[in-house]
Amino acid sequence: MSPRRVRSVCPYDCPDTCGLLVDVEDGRAVAVGGDPEHPYTRELLCPKMNDYQRTVHNPRRLTTPLRRSGAKGEGTFVPVSWEEALAEIAGRWREIIATWGAEAILPYSYAGTMGLVQRNAGHPFFHRLGASRLDRTICAPAKDAGWQAVMGATPAVAPETVRDSDLVILWGINAAATNIHFLPDVNAARRRGAKVWLIETYRTPTANVADRTMLVRPGNDGALARGIMHLLERQGRLDQAFIDRHVQGFEELSAAVLPGYPPEKVSALTGVPEEALRELAAAFGAARAPFIRVGSGISRYGNGAMTVRTIACLPALVGAFGRPGAGCLCGTSTGAAFAMEAVLREDFMARPTRVINMNRLGEALAAIDDPPVKALYVYHSNPAAVAPDQNAVLAGLAREDLFTVVHERFLTDTARYADIVLPATTSLEHDDLYRSYGTYYIQRARPAIPPVGESRSNWRTFAALAEVMGFDEPFFRQSAEDLVDRLLARSAPLREGIDTRALAEGRAVELAVANAGGPPFLTPSGKIEIRNPRLEEPLPDFRPPHGGAYPLRLLTGASRRLLNSSFCERDELRSIEGGMLLKLGPEEAAARDLVDGQPVIAWNDLGEVRFILRISDRVPAGAAVAEGVWWLEFAPGTRTVNALTSQRLTDLGGGSTFYDNTVEVKGA
Ligand SMILES: Nc1nc2c(c(=O)[nH]1)N[C@H]1C(S)=C(S)[C@@H](COP(=O)(O)OP(=O)(O)OC[C@H]3O[C@@H](n4cnc5c(=O)[nH]c(N)nc54)[C@H](O)[C@@H]3O)O[C@H]1N2
Ligand SMILES: Nc1nc2c(c(=O)[nH]1)N[C@H]1C(S)=C(S)[C@@H](COP(=O)(O)OP(=O)(O)OC[C@H]3O[C@@H](n4cnc5c(=O)[nH]c(N)nc54)[C@H](O)[C@@H]3O)O[C@H]1N2
Ligand SMILES: [Mo]
């Protein structure tokens, strides 16, 4: 019998949100490929999702609930039934609530799955329980805050429009790893004569698709953007008619800030040669349709929101709006597509409970005592690996008095510290509805195969927990499929007139976003707000990043073959990656007498981590690069990269500062 072919959606935290075709035979996925009919995927998948069946049917999949039988972190467990596991969780939580109150329970989740129902399945449950709330700010809230400061709720241009651009600036985005479906359209623009500039801190694989790569000293892009503005003004490249009509506060910026950023000073701050700075400003000023694609890396600094805010001002100076191919894309704004309050159910909260920032999990587990965190419930996240300040996180997870439950597909670093582990489904095994933060497509997915082993989806698990906790709201008794239907039944402005039949059939459907990129500009003043009177600093001025005392800037970017710590289960992907590497440029390696392939230790005040050294002329002096977040079991030592990153937050949004750290390196 030939396999049945079904449509599905990539559930991972990636701007592309690809359409998948899954071949199913005897209840197993036997092949996974890109959907040629998906308008953005166009049949192409990344190295991770190609052969996704190797994740789904991986021998490491968890198939039963487990109870810890060894020390925390050791990873020794015995299988138990769902009934036993649920009863134990309910019993322990009741004791904790009786002594400390329900706020002693902390949920911790992020983006193992991006589906709207499964991702948010815990919110109604924990609101009803009265647990602490988690501020989910590990990714790029500072980027959003920076964009919104200037553009408010204006929807960004769609990524495909880049085809019509004549100057593409990839600003702090490693698109060859993190946004690969954007590149065919960038290349289409290039074939029609567009020039592509990459602004980076080292030569990532994305440098291979750029005409020019400009390397900036980490955390100084805000100064670079001001330097470009200074030159645009000095060279008479402003679109004064556009500014007069649509921009608020350029005159103040021009008087109070821009004089402070002449090319000599910007060059000294950023390390960018004056000549290159002048070339970029001239190209931007002369372009008919400049398109800036802003990545998240630049926002993960103490000054991250301010950096993005400054970059978001740039198109206004040259009136790069409303012309095909022009604009600035930080992320697509698809939030209004669904009435998410129907999933989140904040109304289940009897009173607003306390909020804990997920980037400060280490501190929360050690220092909070009003009440202390006595129980942690982790689902679709791996904080032992991905959260900053790993030593603090692991010390917290090792606490004997902390009752930890982890709902997972694999025995991750975090699961190894659990008292109870619950097995989770993959996206091929459950219902969901997807929107994207990098395109304007939405898509529904139905299960392609039955759950592997005894695994249960987030939705089903919270329904079972609601039952053992005695919650009798009918809400908890509906299925994920019902909830998807309900979300689709409620109308939303962005879904007016879309093809509902195609959506029901599981095809990707484009949202009806009018005036993407603006005008009109959806800000309180109706103008692009270079001066934003509602912010503590109404004008965007430059602040240095947090930095640190060690000589090398640590850059902890994305790997092409891992997604944060996901895909570590795939032996073939890890082995192509070549191990947990630290990349140094030849001069920094020589200065420390280090040779390619040797074990090295990187350290700072927070910790030390063993890596394998890779000497690469793509890394400039003053930087060290560690891509991907590895599971401890595959690390050369006893810690991974986040033992070197700090719990310090961004200027706005309470975001993570993964890139804002320094280290020294020596032979191991
Ligand atoms: N293959 C793969 N894809 C992924 C992910 C993954 O881990 N692997 N992660 C997913 C997630 S969760 C996210 S949020 C996105 C993130 O994807 P991106 O938006 O690409 O963000 P990052 O990879 O964090 O950073 C992008 C680049 O910013 C650079 N950078 C760092 N500091 C600076 C600076 O000061 N100035 C400049 N100009 N550049 C700087 C880094 O070197 C890095 O190459 O990707 C998603 N897609
Ligand atoms: N050093 C460094 N650290 C980083 C980053 C970096 O660039 N450098 N990037 C940061 C960023 S941008 C982000 S967004 C965070 C991401 O942090 P996380 O959201 O924790 O991401 P993952 O590491 O992908 O872990 C997700 C886990 O969810 C599990 N999972 C998948 N689907 C399901 C499901 O349906 N149910 C359940 N219960 N589990 C599921 C997977 O098996 C996986 O172990 O990491 C951050 N950490
Ligand atoms: Mo992220």
Side-chain angles (χ1 to χ4, degrees), residues 515-531:
N515 297 317
F521 301 108
L522 306 183
T523 58
S525 64
K527 296 194 166 191
I528 295 176
E529 298 193 331
I530 287 186
R531 177 173 50 77

Side-chain angles (χ1 to χ4, degrees), residues 111 300 380-382 386 407-409 458 556 564-566 642:
R300 299 200 187 106
H380 69 100
S381 182
N382 184 12
V386 303
H407 185 205
E408 249 300 343
R409 307 177 309 169
N458 292 358
T556 66
N564 302 314
S565 75
S566 288
N642 281 320

